[in-house]
């Protein structure tokens, strides 16, 4: 009888620990994912994505806001999903912003190369006269 009671207590204890672990593990990833997405949105903003990729930035901000609301409502699965989507949108916005900056820099470089070639051509024409 004593052995059965001890086994029962042990099984209840294991079930309780497993249940608490499952609850904690749902909240922790959601909280971490929301924090990561918040950083991704901040990085995209500092990269100039608000001006260069406004649609993607707006989507990232909206999803981050909804993830925060879901987290506050303790809907951890929805918060985690929205945070992941917000991070992806923010990374896309940052990539588009970086691409636009690189294209602008390349265009400026091509313009400067063209101007230098014109200067060299004029200098050669003047020296040949």
């Amino acid at each position: 009888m004593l052995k059965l009671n001890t086994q029962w207590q042990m099984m209840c204890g294991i079930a309780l620990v497993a249940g608490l672990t499952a609850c904690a593990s749902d909240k922790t990833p959601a909280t971490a994912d929301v924090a990561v997405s918040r950083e991704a949105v901040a990085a995209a903003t500092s990269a100039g994505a608000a001006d260069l990729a406004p649609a993607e930035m707006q989507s990232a901000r909206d999803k981050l806001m909804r993830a925060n609301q879901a987290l506050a409502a303790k809907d951890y699965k929805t918060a985690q999903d929205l945070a992941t989507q917000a991070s992806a949108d923010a990374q896309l916005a940052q990539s588009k912003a970086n691409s636009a900056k690189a294209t602008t820099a390349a265009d400026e470089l091509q313009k400067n190369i063209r101007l230098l070639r014109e200067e060299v051509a004029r200098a050669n024409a003047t020296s040949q006269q």
Side-chain angles (χ1 to χ4, degrees):
M1 180 76 172
L2 183 62
K3 184 177 179 183
L4 183 61
N5 192 21
T6 304
Q7 287 177 342
W8 178 251
Q9 288 175 345
M10 199 151 188
M11 290 176 70
C12 287
I14 290 171
L16 179 64
V17 169
L20 291 174
T21 302
C23 290
S25 66
D26 283 345
K27 182 179 179 184
T28 303
T31 304
D33 286 344
V34 170
V36 167
S37 68
R38 192 174 299 124
E39 290 300 317
V41 169
T45 301
S46 68
D51 295 328
L52 300 170
E56 291 80 4
M57 277 304 298
Q58 188 59 46
S59 178
R61 287 181 178 139
D62 288 346
K63 288 175 184 171
L64 178 59
M65 180 186 67
R66 290 173 37 215
N68 282 319
Q69 291 169 344
L71 194 60
K74 297 183 180 181
D75 184 358
Y76 300 122
K77 176 67 175 135
T78 300
Q80 191 173 18
D81 291 345
L82 287 167
T84 301
Q85 293 172 19
S87 291
D89 288 348
Q91 290 171 357
L92 176 61
Q94 185 173 1
S95 294
K96 282 189 170 187
N98 290 340
S99 178
K101 288 178 185 179
T103 299
T104 300
D107 291 347
E108 186 66 28
L109 187 59
Q110 288 296 330
K111 178 183 169 187
N112 289 338
I113 290 171
R114 184 181 48 78
L115 291 172
L116 284 172
R117 285 183 178 157
E118 289 173 3
E119 288 290 324
V120 169
R122 266 186 258 141
N124 285 340
T126 304
S127 67
Q128 288 178 357
Q129 292 177 358

